[in-house]
Amino acid sequence: MNFAAVLLCGGRSSRMGCDKALIDWHGRTLWQTQLDKLQQLQPEKLLISCRREQQILSDVKMVFDPANTDDGPLGAITRCLELVDRPLLVLAVDMPWMTVEFLRDQILPGGFYRGPHGFETLCALYEPRMLPTMQKALTERRLALQHIVEACQPRMHKLLEEHAIFFRNMNTQADFRSS
């Protein structure tokens, strides 16, 4: 399959109290751990979306968040989708329980998972046909990804209880300590 992938690292990590991307996860930074997963899938193009001031040093193409703009994940995913012009696998840095196998076998075939709290928008395959809706939402400052997914109506999958761990976010120090 011809696809691109992006690791989203640009969040402010305000609930964590430090940059999540730089947290040590079993001897490596979280961003390195997650990037390795994406590299194993061998995408045609691989990107890291982050803030310019983050201390992420990689030979992977970096897509920086614009200064003084807080357009969240919608802005980052839109910028990356504009660059790659093909399906874009999105993986958030704070989902360390996601596996290469689940990404390859469940996410890459397409669609979004829907759980009890809505769509899992930070680990999904975004299609180029979604771009106009995303760009319009950015212009109108409607930044919620849930609305984008609803409007674009990609293939949906029900999030089963046994798959919920893969989508677990590490947002706080307590989440980190419980790992």
Side-chain angles (χ1 to χ4, degrees), residues 7-8 20 25 30 33-34 37 90-99 103 119-124 164-171:
L7 178 61
L8 297 180
K20 286 189 261 188
W25 183 259
L30 200 48
T33 300
Q34 295 296 80
K37 293 172 188 177
V90 171
L91 178 61
V93 74
D94 64 355
M95 290 185 173
W97 293 276
M98 182 56 66
T99 66
L103 289 168
F119 298 106
E120 296 292 346
T121 58
L122 299 182
C123 183
I165 185 64
F166 300 128
F167 293 94
R168 183 175 162 208
N169 294 91
M170 188 167 54
N171 289 316

Side-chain angles (χ1 to χ4, degrees), residues 2-20:
N2 184 10
F3 72 99
V6 61
L7 178 61
L8 297 180
C9 296
R12 300 274 179 219
S13 304
S14 56
R15 288 179 283 173
M16 181 64 77
C18 62
D19 192 334
K20 286 189 261 188

Side-chain angles (χ1 to χ4, degrees), residues 150-162:
E150 287 173 6
C152 293
Q153 298 183 338
R155 191 165 38 140
M156 304 293 174
H157 306 283
K158 182 179 180 188
L159 182 60
L160 303 176
E161 192 174 318
E162 63 263 25

